[in-house]
Amino acid sequence: MRLLLVEDDDHVAAALSAVLARHGFDVTHARSGEEALRALLPGERSPFGVVLLDLGLPDQDGFEVCGGIRKRTTTPVIMVTARADTRSKIHGLNLGADDYVVKPYDTGELLARIHAVARRNPPHESAQGQPHAPEGDPGVLSLGALTIELPNRRVCVDGSAVALTRKEFDLLALLAQRPGVVFRREQIISEVWRTSWEGTGRTLEVHIASLRAKLRMPALIETVRGVGYKIVVPVR
C-alpha cells in the first residue's frame, strides 16, 4: 500500500517511515501542507491508500490541509498529532478525518488503525460489478441509476437529488463502496455509529428501511438473514 506521511520533523518522519517500510508500506514523505496536496494530484502511480497527517505544519494548519485533501480525494486520513484535547479531535473528525491518533502512540496501534481505515475505504474499482468513478472524479460512485458523491455527501437517483440524513449517507456509502460484499450488522454499527451492537440493532433496521424508501430502490440493499446487509448492483 502507498502511504503519504505529512510530517515536518525529518527525524520523526525518518523513524516512522522505516517502521512502515518494514511492514510493507511504500511511504512518500511530505514536509508541508502544500507539498502534501501536490502529492495527491492524479499521476501515473497508483493512488495513496492512507494519509498520515500531522497538524503542526510550517505553512498551514493541518486542519486546513485536511479540508483541502477532502476536496481532492476520498483517501482515508489519520490525524497524528500531539493535540490531545477533545475539541481538536471532534474538529478533525468533523472535517473528514477517518481517525485521530495522539502522540506519543504505540506503533502497533497505529499500524492497526492504518489497516482498519484502509479496509473501510477500499480503492475504487472499475471491474464489472464494482462501483466506478467517472474519469477525473474519483469521489463519485456510480451504481446503475444511483450516484453517490462522497466529498460533498450528495446522492442522486436518475439525476434527481435525494435528501439523506448524515447516518443514512454514511450507511449507504459504506455498503456502496464494496457492492456484493456482506457487511455484518456488528461491523456496520461499529463503523457508522462508532458504538457496540447492543441496543442499536433496531436503529440499523430503521435506517435500512428509510434508505430503501427514499431511494425508491427496495432491491438495492439486500438483507442476508442472520448476518447483515449488502448492496446488490442494479441491472439497467
Side-chain angles (χ1 to χ4, degrees):
M1 182 196 304
R2 293 189 68 212
L3 185 147
L4 178 61
L5 173 61
V6 189
E7 169 63 64
D8 66 320
D9 188 318
D10 286 342
H11 295 292
V12 172
L16 183 54
S17 294
V19 171
L20 292 168
R22 285 199 299 272
H23 285 81
F25 291 96
D26 178 5
V27 181
T28 296
H29 176 208
R31 296 172 176 81
S32 67
E34 182 181 353
E35 191 176 342
L37 294 174
R38 198 163 53 240
L40 287 164
L41 293 173
E44 295 181 359
R45 299 190 65 186
S46 59
F48 290 103
V50 174
V51 177
L52 295 183
L53 175 63
D54 183 34
L55 296 182
L57 300 173
D59 58 338
Q60 52 187 305
D61 190 84
F63 289 132
E64 184 180 350
V65 177
C66 183
I69 291 173
R70 277 292 159 261
K71 292 178 181 177
R72 289 166 169 77
T73 177
T74 59
T75 301
V77 175
I78 301 177
M79 291 183 172
V80 184
T81 174
R83 301 182 196 177
D85 60 290
T86 301
R87 186 174 181 178
S88 292
K89 292 179 183 179
I90 293 172
H91 185 47
L93 294 171
N94 284 340
L95 283 173
D98 296 82
D99 205 345
Y100 193 105
V101 177
V102 177
K103 299 177 181 178
Y105 50 79
D106 178 82
T107 304
E109 180 184 356
L110 178 62
L111 289 167
R113 289 176 180 268
I114 291 171
H115 286 297
V117 299
R119 285 195 303 270
R120 292 200 299 266
N121 299 270
H124 297 295
E125 301 177 50
S126 57
Q128 185 176 5
Q130 296 295 327
H132 66 274
E135 186 175 353
D137 206 350
V140 177
L141 299 179
S142 181
L143 287 165
L146 174 66
T147 302
I148 305 171
E149 299 176 14
L150 298 175
N152 57 19
R153 303 176 66 84
R154 186 169 186 264
V155 173
C156 294
V157 175
D158 283 327
S160 298
V162 179
L164 300 181
T165 67
R166 180 178 177 181
K167 291 302 183 187
E168 286 170 351
F169 180 89
D170 292 343
L171 173 56
L172 178 63
L174 174 66
L175 298 176
Q177 290 187 61
R178 300 184 69 186
V181 173
V182 179
F183 286 78
R184 291 177 293 105
R185 292 181 175 89
E186 296 87 348
Q187 179 184 2
I188 297 170
I189 292 294
S190 176
E191 297 191 14
V192 175
W193 277 269
R194 302 298 176 97
T195 187
S196 62
W197 165 254
E198 186 177 355
T200 322
R202 180 58 182 162
T203 298
L204 173 57
E205 292 172 1
V206 169
H207 279 72
I208 291 289
S210 179
L211 278 175
R212 287 169 172 158
K214 287 185 176 182
L215 298 174
R216 297 183 180 180
M217 302 173 72
L220 177 70
I221 303 175
E222 180 179 310
T223 301
V224 180
R225 191 179 300 276
V227 182
Y229 300 93
K230 69 176 180 178
I231 288 281
V232 177
V233 181
V235 179
R236 302 193 69 181

